[in-house]
Amino acid sequence: MEIRKFSETDLWKPVRDFFVDKGYTVRSEVKDCDIVAIKDEELIIIELKKNLSVELLSQAVKRQKSADLVYIAVPKPKKLIGNSKWKDICHLIRRLELGLILVSFKGNNGIIEIPINPTPFDRWKSINMGKRKRENIIKEAKSRYEDFNVGGSKGKKLVTAYRENALFIACCLERFGELSPKKLRELGADERKTTSILRENHYEWFSNVKRGVYIISDKGREALKEYKELSDYYYQKIDDAFKGKVKQIEEK
């Protein structure tokens, strides 16, 4: 997070003055708490830090054992707000039921912004908001034939359901030569996606030799070598499960 060079003490006055203006009695450095604000029986604890960190979040969560509300106050970042990383951080803060105070300066005047208030987190609302993503995850997982990726790996091409389907088609074309989408489906290619995979030819693995008939391209053959484990699996699957259909297709 790229921010101006602040010390935690620079944040103290604007935050203190904000809560004083709201009618709270404010005291600083009370029992290891940076700032406490009290009004009637309500106790608020505010932790000041130069940047957001796991340590800060952990410290703030511990304060929830004693306080009614807990805020974390940090300098307002210049570039992070609005991007996906910032949204993820804000989601985590809401999930932990913490408040977020952003402090910036115009001259010597401190400016306080509170994008997140410490309110109870509605997990079911969050789940409903992510319903489409949940459905897509389940659909993708169920659409894959086997688990050919290594969890936690980076910088490698992932074997997605789409890539699996394309590789299966490539295996069929390499095994039997020219085939139509209909014949590929008879061999076990995806009922709904085969035609679009061939037509879009996203990986350039196929060549259209005549209307409605395809062969494997040189790039397709290279892909079969690159994904040898998966292509061998498909070859075996074709030979074992579709012997009768293979004979019929070869005779046509």
Side-chain angles (χ1 to χ4, degrees):
M1 183 186 304
E2 185 179 343
I3 57 176
R4 277 181 50 184
K5 290 186 177 180
F6 287 103
S7 68
E8 291 171 17
T9 54
D10 291 328
L11 307 176
W12 166 75
K13 188 177 185 303
V15 173
R16 183 203 62 177
D17 291 349
F18 175 83
F19 282 96
V20 168
D21 290 343
K22 296 291 183 181
Y24 287 86
T25 298
V26 179
R27 298 292 182 265
S28 305
E29 294 299 332
V30 180
K31 296 292 184 179
D32 296 326
C33 301
D34 290 338
I35 297 176
V36 299
I38 301 170
K39 183 191 288 186
D40 300 325
E41 296 300 316
E42 182 183 47
L43 170 62
I44 296 176
I45 295 177
I46 307 101
E47 290 298 329
L48 311 174
K49 283 292 183 290
K50 291 187 291 184
N51 51 54
L52 284 167
S53 66
V54 173
E55 180 185 3
L56 172 58
L57 295 174
S58 177
Q59 185 182 47
V61 168
K62 289 179 182 178
R63 299 289 184 252
Q64 289 175 324
K65 296 177 181 178
S66 307
D68 297 294
L69 302 173
V70 178
Y71 287 85
I72 53 179
V74 297
K76 182 178 180 179
K78 293 180 179 179
K79 294 184 178 180
L80 197 57
I81 291 179
N83 66 23
S84 59
K85 184 177 179 181
W86 177 255
K87 290 178 181 178
D88 290 342
I89 291 171
C90 289
H91 174 75
L92 179 57
I93 292 170
R94 290 189 179 94
R95 191 80 164 78
L96 296 173
E97 300 183 355
L98 299 170
L100 176 63
I101 300 173
L102 299 178
V103 183
S104 57
F105 287 88
K106 189 173 183 179
N108 294 324
N109 297 320
I111 301 170
I112 296 291
E113 297 176 55
I114 304 182
I116 302 174
N117 282 298
T119 57
F121 182 78
D122 190 337
R123 186 166 180 269
W124 292 113
K125 180 180 178 181
S126 177
I127 289 174
N128 287 331
M129 289 177 66
K131 186 176 180 180
R132 178 173 293 181
K133 186 171 185 179
R134 170 188 169 87
E135 290 172 349
N136 287 338
I137 290 171
I138 293 173
K139 181 179 178 182
E140 172 68 20
K142 287 185 175 181
S143 297
R144 297 184 187 180
Y145 293 102
E146 292 289 338
D147 193 16
F148 291 101
N149 297 314
V150 177
S153 59
K154 294 182 179 180
K156 294 183 178 181
K157 293 179 181 178
L158 295 179
V159 181
T160 62
Y162 185 94
R163 195 181 295 269
E164 280 191 1
N165 285 321
L167 281 166
F168 182 82
I169 292 171
C171 286
C172 291
L173 294 174
E174 175 66 9
R175 180 71 91 212
F176 307 118
E178 298 180 5
L179 292 172
S180 66
K182 180 181 178 181
K183 291 179 180 179
L184 284 163
R185 286 192 288 269
E186 289 175 2
L187 284 168
D190 190 275
E191 287 291 331
R192 293 179 298 174
K193 297 179 181 178
T194 297
T195 300
S196 63
I197 289 173
L198 289 165
R199 184 175 59 248
E200 293 169 5
N201 199 13
H202 182 71
Y203 305 121
E204 298 180 351
W205 291 352
F206 319 115
S207 294
N208 185 204
V209 289
K210 56 186 176 181
R211 184 174 181 181
V213 178
Y214 296 82
I215 61 171
I216 189 170
S217 68
D218 290 338
K219 284 190 176 182
R221 292 189 176 89
E222 291 173 8
L224 294 181
K225 294 177 183 178
E226 182 180 359
Y227 299 97
K228 187 176 185 303
E229 181 184 4
L230 184 53
S231 58
D232 286 347
Y233 168 81
Y234 283 144
Y235 284 139
Q236 190 64 50
K237 185 176 180 180
I238 292 167
D239 292 343
D240 290 345
F242 301 102
K243 286 180 180 178
K245 292 181 180 178
V246 168
K247 187 177 180 180
Q248 293 173 17
I249 288 171
E250 288 177 333
E251 290 174 351
K252 291 181 180 179

